[in-house]
C-alpha cells in the first residue's frame, strides 16, 4: 500500500520507461537485490533477496544430502580419495557443533580395507525414516557405483566399525576401531550361512512318530528379516506308542551381527506336512533341544521354506514417494552359464556299513534305492544368501564295452572297496527326451543328445551291494568330484559365491522301482525277549 492509499500488487515486473504518474500499480521502476515474493513464497509483494552466508563448513565437496527431521541433514562429501558421511544442522549456523562426522573412511583405506568409494561424478540420492528408538535409518544410492547402503543414526546402534575382540576367562569383549566396515552398510547384507544338524535325542519327549527338519532364518527385534537360509537334514523318530521322544538341533557358524534367528520345525506326521515357528532364539545358541511342537504355535506357510528372494545390490537412485522407498533402475546379478562345467562333474555311488541298530537309534544317513534312476543338480550360494539357477549334472557317457543292453540290465561297476565299504561308477541310463538342440553354447557335446541320469547299482553286480547282511545295514550314498568354481561370461572367477549345494529331482510320477522289497527283499530279525521273528523291508 503506497502513501496515497493506492494498492500495489507488483505482478508485472520491472518497468523504467514510464514516469511515476503513468506507472501501473502492478509494475515497479527501481529496486536492488529484489525478488517479487517474500521469503515464505507469498506472491505479489516485493522483498529483499536473501544473502548467502557460510553456515556450515564441510570437509570435502558435497555430492548429496538427505533430510532427517527439522533442520538436520545427512551430508555425503568426498574429494574422490577420502569419503565422509556426517550430520549437518542448518539451525546452528556458525556454531561449533553444527556438523558431526558419522563415518570417515581414511583409516580403513590406510589399512588396506575398502572405503566408501564415493566420487564427485556419482551424485547421491536417498531417503530416511524414523525408527522406534528415535534414530533414523538412512538409505542411499550413488548411481550404482557401489552397492546401495544404509546407516542407522541412533546412538544406540553404533556405526559399523571393524572391531578388536579379546577373550578373557571365556568372556569376549569387543571394541570399535576407527576403521569402517563398509560391508555392514549394505542394504543387501553379506550373510554367514549357519551349519545345522538334527539328531534323535536320547532324552524324553512327546514328538509324534514321523520325520522332522528344522529351517533357520535371521531375525531382528523378533521379526524374520531374511529368507530361510538353511534346512537341516531329515530326522525320523519312531516308537510303538506314537510318542517317540525328542530331537536335538546343533547349530554353528551363525552370523552374530544378527542377535536373533527364527527356528521353524517342519514335521511330516500322520500323513500331514506342517511347518511351525518354534520361536526366536539368540544366534549364539549352539544347541536347541526340541521335545514337543505345540500345535498352538504359529503355522508357517510351507511354500516359504524353500522360497528364495533375489538380492538387489544396486540401483540408479533411491526416492521417498508417499512414505514408500522406491529404488529406480535396479541391477540384478548377471546370469552365468555353469552348464559346460557341470557336464564334467563325475558322479559315483558309495556304500557304507552301519550297525543293524543304526536306524533304531536314530541314524539319519538314508539310503538311495538300489537299481533306481535319479537326477541331480548343482546350484551356488552367494554371500548375500540368495542362490543361482540349478544346473543339471548329466549321467556318465556311454561305454560300448560295458553298457550294451543297458535298457534291460544294470551296468553300474564296482571300482573300489576302500571308501566306506565300496564305491564305483553309476549304471548308464538315457531318456527319450533330449537336451535343447538350439543351445550349443550351454550344453556343448550334449546339445541335442538324449538326457542322461544316474542309475544306482543292484546286487547283481556284486554281493557287497545289499542293504543288510551279517548284522550290518549298508546305506548307499552318492559322491561328486570334478566341481570347479563358477566363471562369469568373461571367464573370470565369480568371487562373491561362497558355497554350493546339490539337489535331487523328485521321483514322483517317474519311479522305475515301484516295490521296495515287500515281497522279494525282506529281512528277518529275531526278538531277544520272545522267540518271535519279525520281517521288515530291506530299505531304510
Amino acid at each position: 500500500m503506497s502513501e496515497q492509499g493506492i494498492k500495489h500488487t507488483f505482478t508485472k515486473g520491472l518497468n523504467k520507461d514510464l514516469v511515476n504518474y503513468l506507472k501501473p500499480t502492478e509494475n515497479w521502476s527501481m529496486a536492488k537485490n529484489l525478488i517479487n515474493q517474500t521469503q515464505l513464497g507469498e506472491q505479489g509483494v516485493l522483498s529483499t533477496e536473501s544473502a548467502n552466508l557460510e553456515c556450515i563448513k564441510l570437509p570435502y565437496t558435497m555430492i548429496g544430502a538427505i533430510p532427517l527431521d527439522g533442520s538436520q541433514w545427512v551430508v555425503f562429501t568426498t574429494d574422490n580419495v577420502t569419503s565422509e558421511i556426517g550430520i549437518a544442522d542448518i539451525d546452528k549456523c556458525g556454531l561449533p557443533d553444527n556438523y558431526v562426522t558419522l563415518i570417515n573412511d581414511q583409516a580403513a583405506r590406510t589399512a588396506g580395507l575398502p572405503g566408501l568409494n564415493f566420487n564427485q561424478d556419482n551424485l547421491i540420492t536417498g531417503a530416511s525414516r524414523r525408527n522406534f528408538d528415535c534414530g533414523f535409518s538412512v538409505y542411499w544410492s550413488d548411481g550404482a557405483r557401489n552397492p546401495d547402503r544404509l546407516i542407522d543414526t541412533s546412538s544406540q546402534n553404533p556405526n559399523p566399525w571393524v572391531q578388536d575382540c579379546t577373550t578373557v576367562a571365556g568372556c569376549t569383549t569387543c571394541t570399535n576401531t576407527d576403521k569402517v566396515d563398509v560391508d555392514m552398510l549394505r542394504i543387501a547384507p553379506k550373510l554367514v550361512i549357519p551349519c545345522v544338524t538334527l539328531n534323535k535325542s536320547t532324552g524324553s519327549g512327546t514328538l509324534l512318530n514321523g520325520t522332522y527338519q528344522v529351517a533357520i532364518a535371521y531375525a531382528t527385534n523378533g521379526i524374520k528379516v531374511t529368507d530361510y537360509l538353511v534346512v537341516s537334514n531329515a530326522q525320523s523318530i519312531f516308537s510303538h506308542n506314537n510318542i517317540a521322544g525328542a530331537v536335538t538341533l546343533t547349530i554353528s557358524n551363525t552370523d552374530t551381527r544378527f542377535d536373533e534367528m527364527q527356528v521353524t520345525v517342519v514335521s511330516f506326521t500322520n500323513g500331514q506336512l506342517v511347518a511351525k515357528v518354534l520361536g526366536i532364539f539368540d544366534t549364539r545358541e549352539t544347541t536347541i533341544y526340541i521335545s514337543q511342537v505345540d500345535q498352538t504355535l504359529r503355522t508357517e506357510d510351507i511354500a516359504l521354506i524353500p522360497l528364495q528372494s533375489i538380492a538387489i545390490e544396486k540401483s540408479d537412485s533411491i526416492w521417498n514417494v508417499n512414505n514408500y522407498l522406491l529404488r529406480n533402475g535396479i541391477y540384478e546379478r548377471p546370469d552365468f552359464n555353469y552348464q559346460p562345467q557341470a557336464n564334467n562333474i563325475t558322479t559315483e555311488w558309495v556304500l557304507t556299513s552301519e550297525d543293524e541298530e543304526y536306524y533304531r537309534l536314530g541314524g539319519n544317513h538314508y539310503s538311495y534305492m538300489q537299481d533306481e534312476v535319479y537326477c541331480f543338480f548343482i546350484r551356488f550360494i552367494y554371500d548375500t544368501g540368495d542362490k543361482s539357477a540349478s544346473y543339471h549334472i548329466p549321467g556318465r557317457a556311454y561305454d560300448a564295452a560295458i553298457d550294451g543292453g543297458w535298457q534291460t540290465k544294470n551296468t553300474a561297476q564296482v571300482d573300489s572297496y576302500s571308501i566306506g565299504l565300496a564305491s564305483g561308477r553309476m549304471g548308464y541310463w538315457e531318456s527319450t527326451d533330449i537336451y535343447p538342440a538350439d543351445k550349443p553354447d550351454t550344453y556343448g557335446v550334449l546339445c541335442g543328445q538324449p538326457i542322461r541320469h544316474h542309475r544306482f547299482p543292484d546286487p547283481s553286480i556284486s554281493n557287497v551291494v545289499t542293504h543288510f547282511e551279517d548284522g550290518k545295514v549298508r546305506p548307499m550314498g552318492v559322491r561328486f568330484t570334478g566341481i570347479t568354481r563358477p566363471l562369469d561370461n568373461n571367464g573370470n572367477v565369480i568371487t562373491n559365491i561362497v558355497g554350493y549345494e546339490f539337489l535331487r529331482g523328485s521321483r514322483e510320477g517317474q519311479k522305475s522301482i515301484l516295490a521296495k522289497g515287500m515281497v522279494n527283499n525282506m529281512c528277518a530279525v529275531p526278538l531277544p525277549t520272545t522267540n518271535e521273528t519279525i520281517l521288515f523291508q530291506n530299505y531304510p
Side-chain angles (χ1 to χ4, degrees):
M1 185 76 67
S2 72
E3 63 276 8
Q4 290 87 10
I6 300 173
K7 184 177 182 180
H8 295 267
T9 57
F10 300 123
T11 59
K12 292 189 176 180
L14 177 69
N15 187 341
K16 300 180 66 174
D17 296 332
L18 301 176
V19 296
N20 287 340
Y21 64 88
L22 293 177
K23 182 180 68 176
T25 58
E26 294 88 358
N27 290 112
W28 63 91
S29 58
M30 183 69 68
K32 214 170 189 179
N33 298 328
L34 183 93
I35 54 175
N36 62 337
Q37 64 183 38
T38 67
Q39 294 183 16
L40 298 178
E42 298 165 330
Q43 303 292 322
V45 296
L46 300 182
S47 64
T48 303
E49 185 176 10
S50 299
N52 292 326
L53 175 68
E54 184 180 85
C55 179
I56 299 171
K57 188 172 183 63
L58 299 177
Y60 313 107
T61 300
M62 186 175 75
I63 60 172
I66 297 172
L68 295 181
D69 190 21
S71 60
Q72 290 189 326
W73 293 70
V74 171
V75 181
F76 304 83
T77 61
T78 185
D79 60 1
N80 291 343
V81 178
T82 303
S83 303
E84 183 168 305
I85 303 172
I87 296 181
D89 191 336
I90 60 176
D91 277 356
K92 296 182 178 180
C93 286
L95 299 178
D97 61 344
N98 60 15
Y99 177 83
V100 177
T101 299
L102 290 179
I103 294 175
N104 185 291
D105 68 357
Q106 185 173 8
R109 292 186 302 97
T110 301
L113 301 174
L116 294 169
N117 193 34
F118 293 159
N119 190 279
Q120 295 173 9
D121 292 332
N122 297 87
L123 301 184
I124 285 177
T125 58
S128 67
R129 70 174 179 87
R130 184 179 287 277
N131 297 330
F132 68 92
D133 57 4
C134 296
F136 286 87
S137 289
V138 181
Y139 304 80
W140 77 88
S141 164
D142 58 357
R145 175 179 173 85
N146 298 292
D148 291 352
R149 295 168 174 164
L150 70 94
I151 188 173
D152 191 335
T153 66
S154 170
S155 60
Q156 299 178 16
N157 293 278
N159 294 321
W161 306 110
V162 175
Q163 292 188 320
D164 284 336
C165 298
T166 57
T167 301
V168 178
C171 180
T172 301
T173 302
C174 296
T175 57
N176 291 336
T177 68
D178 59 351
K179 305 174 185 66
V180 62
D181 184 351
V182 293
D183 282 341
M184 293 183 65
L185 295 170
R186 295 164 55 101
I187 291 180
K190 293 184 177 180
L191 302 174
V192 178
I193 309 300
C195 297
V196 297
T197 304
L198 194 64
N199 291 291
K200 182 179 179 181
S201 176
T202 57
S204 61
T206 59
L207 294 181
L208 299 177
N209 289 348
T211 302
Y212 295 84
Q213 289 181 276
V214 172
I216 301 290
Y218 291 127
T220 299
N221 297 323
I223 300 174
K224 183 170 77 73
V225 294
T226 68
D227 295 327
Y228 286 103
L229 300 172
V230 63
V231 179
S232 74
N233 57 287
Q235 176 64 59
S236 295
I237 54 178
F238 173 82
S239 71
H240 289 287
N241 62 4
N242 197 29
I243 300 179
V247 292
T248 300
L249 178 67
T250 303
I251 310 171
S252 62
N253 198 49
T254 53
D255 193 334
T256 53
R257 292 175 301 176
F258 294 90
D259 291 329
E260 301 168 340
M261 57 184 173
Q262 177 172 300
V263 177
T264 298
V265 178
V266 182
S267 61
F268 185 74
T269 59
N270 299 323
Q272 300 294 318
L273 181 64
V274 178
K276 290 285 188 179
V277 178
L278 189 64
I280 300 295
F281 294 80
D282 194 299
T283 52
R284 294 161 184 82
E285 290 277 358
T286 58
T287 304
I288 299 175
Y289 180 75
I290 305 172
S291 60
Q292 65 174 348
V293 179
D294 193 332
Q295 294 307 302
T296 63
L297 292 173
R298 178 168 64 86
T299 300
E300 182 74 287
D301 185 352
I302 200 71
L304 296 179
I305 303 298
L307 183 66
Q308 294 292 319
S309 303
I310 298 176
I312 304 299
E313 289 203 319
K314 299 179 180 181
S315 62
D316 288 336
S317 57
I318 294 179
W319 305 97
N320 182 0
V321 179
N322 294 330
N323 291 325
Y324 284 91
L325 186 71
L326 299 185
R327 302 169 73 182
N328 175 60
I330 59 175
Y331 290 73
E332 296 182 4
R333 299 186 189 279
D335 199 8
F336 61 91
N337 178 23
Y338 189 78
Q339 191 59 53
Q341 294 171 259
N343 294 345
N344 296 322
I345 294 176
T346 300
T347 307
E348 299 174 288
W349 60 267
V350 177
L351 199 69
T352 59
S353 179
E354 303 288 351
D355 187 81
E356 63 182 346
E357 296 282 282
Y358 177 71
Y359 290 109
R360 187 182 72 82
L361 297 176
N364 52 33
H365 293 163
Y366 304 116
S367 178
Y368 286 90
M369 185 176 291
Q370 295 178 0
D371 202 35
E372 179 60 284
V373 175
Y374 292 89
C375 60
F376 295 105
F377 302 84
I378 186 173
R379 69 178 177 186
F380 294 88
I381 304 171
Y382 290 98
D383 54 11
T384 50
D386 53 325
K387 299 174 181 179
S388 73
S390 300
Y391 301 92
H392 179 242
I393 300 175
R396 67 174 178 82
Y398 181 81
D399 186 338
I402 60 175
D403 293 329
W406 63 267
Q407 296 89 342
T408 58
K409 70 176 184 179
N410 193 311
T411 63
Q413 300 289 304
V414 178
D415 294 332
S416 172
Y417 289 92
S418 61
I419 302 175
L421 185 64
S423 64
R425 286 171 288 175
M426 295 284 191
Y428 181 80
W429 187 91
E430 69 178 38
S431 172
T432 55
D433 296 326
I434 64 171
Y435 292 102
D438 57 348
K439 296 183 178 180
D441 292 339
T442 298
Y443 292 98
V445 296
L446 299 179
C447 179
Q449 300 300 308
I451 294 176
R452 305 197 303 256
H453 294 320
H454 313 268
R455 188 174 185 178
F456 279 80
D458 64 17
S460 66
I461 69 168
S462 171
N463 59 6
V464 75
V465 183
T466 181
H467 281 311
F468 186 85
E469 189 174 334
D470 301 328
K472 299 289 186 180
V473 291
R474 295 176 176 176
M476 185 177 294
V478 61
R479 182 176 68 164
F480 300 98
T481 57
I483 303 161
T484 55
R485 297 189 66 176
L487 307 177
D488 62 21
N489 295 332
N490 295 320
N492 302 314
V493 171
I494 303 176
T495 57
N496 57 349
I497 285 179
V498 295
Y500 56 86
E501 60 186 6
F502 296 102
L503 296 88
R504 186 189 70 198
S506 172
R507 295 171 57 245
E508 292 301 319
Q510 303 293 331
K511 297 179 180 179
S512 60
I513 302 299
L514 302 179
K516 296 182 179 179
M518 295 303 292
V519 175
N520 60 1
N521 190 5
M522 302 291 287
C523 291
V525 175
L527 293 177
T529 56
T530 68
N531 292 325
E532 296 178 287
T533 298
I534 62 170
L535 299 176
F536 62 93
Q537 64 185 35
N538 188 11
Y539 177 75

